Amino acid sequence: MLSDDLTRAESQITRHPDYPEPGVVFRDITPLLADGTSLRAVTDAMYRPFAGGFDIVAGVEARGFLLAGTIASLAGTGVLPIRKAGKLPDPAASIEYTLEYGSARIEAPGVLFPGARVLVVDDILATGGTLAASQQLVRELGGELVGTTVILELDGLGGRETVGDHVHSVFTAALS
Ligand SMILES: O=P(O)(O)OC[C@H]1O[C@H](OP(=O)(O)OP(=O)(O)O)[C@H](O)[C@@H]1O
Ligand SMILES: Nc1ncnc2[nH]cnc12
C-alpha cells in the first residue's frame, strides 16, 4: 500500500493527450518535482530496494538527471550523466535507440571504475528503448548494472520485457 505522500505524488502526474504527437498520452512529472515532499517520497521509494548496493547513479538526460542527482545525494554516491549526443567532448560509448515518440542517440563519459555497481534511473518507462540503451551503455563502460528504477511504468508498450524483470517502478499506469 502506498503512503499518503506517495498517493499525493502519483496524483500530481498529469496526462496530456496527443502530445508531443497525435496518439501519445504524455505524462508530465513537473508538478511532482516542484513539491519537495513528493520529490523526497518518490526518490526515496525509487532507490530503497537497491540501498547499499550501488556505487553510482546513472541518469538519462534530461528528466533522469533531476532524479539521479537527488538519489545520489540521498545515498551519498556520485552521478553518471548519460547525455544526448553531441554534448560530451570525448564520449567513451554511444548508442542510437528509439523511444515512444522518435529516436535519439545517447553517450556517456568514461568515468566508471571497472566493476562499478550502477543504478540506472529515469522518470518514465514507456517502450523501454531509452533504458535498454542506457543499460547497454553502462555495460560498455565496464560497469555492473545492479538495477533500473523509474517513477512511472506505462503498461502496454512492452517496456518491462525490453528492459528486464529487475526494473523497479514506483507507480504503474495504463497506456491511455
Ligand atoms: O521508454 P521510452 O519509450 O524510451 O521513453 C522514455 C523516455 O522518454 C522520455 O525522454 P525524452 O527523450 O523525451 O527526453 P527528456 O527527458 O529530455 O524530455 C523519458 O524521460 C524517458 O527517458
Ligand atoms: N507517454 C510519455 N509521457 C512522458 N514521457 C514519455 N516518454 C516516452 N513516452 C512518454
Side-chain angles (χ1 to χ4, degrees):
M1 191 161 119
L2 295 180
S3 69
D4 289 351
D5 287 344
L6 284 178
T7 301
R8 203 163 66 90
E10 186 173 24
S11 75
Q12 291 169 325
I13 302 173
T14 53
R15 286 175 77 261
H16 302 269
D18 297 323
Y19 180 86
E21 57 187 41
V24 174
V25 181
F26 190 83
R27 312 288 171 140
D28 185 16
I29 62 159
T30 51
L32 181 164
L33 294 176
D35 182 318
T37 303
S38 297
L39 179 61
R40 175 63 193 254
V42 163
T43 47
D44 200 67
M46 288 175 79
Y47 95 94
R48 278 290 162 208
F50 309 99
F54 57 93
D55 303 306
I56 191 164
V57 185
V60 191
E61 186 173 359
R63 289 173 251 164
F65 281 4
L66 301 164
L67 302 166
T70 305
I71 290 172
S73 179
L74 289 173
T77 71
V79 166
L80 175 71
I82 296 181
R83 303 224 53 181
K84 297 279 168 60
K87 302 287 187 180
L88 290 169
D90 189 20
S94 178
I95 295 176
E96 192 165 353
Y97 65 98
T98 57
L99 68 155
E100 192 183 3
Y101 40 71
S103 65
R105 175 175 285 276
I106 48 174
E107 299 178 337
V111 295
L112 293 185
F113 62 82
R117 298 168 302 167
V118 184
L119 177 65
V120 176
V121 312
D122 205 355
D123 62 334
I124 308 265
L125 170 62
T127 64
T130 306
L131 280 171
S134 304
Q135 292 173 333
Q136 194 182 331
L137 213 53
V138 164
R139 293 193 190 98
E140 288 186 15
L141 293 170
E144 180 198 345
L145 181 73
V146 295
T148 304
T149 186
V150 298
I151 298 179
L152 178 66
E153 174 178 352
L154 295 177
D155 261 349
L157 288 170
R160 181 164 285 267
E161 291 70 35
T162 300
V163 171
D165 270 348
H166 55 283
V167 64
H168 173 63
S169 53
V170 181
F171 309 124
T172 304
L175 190 54
S176 57

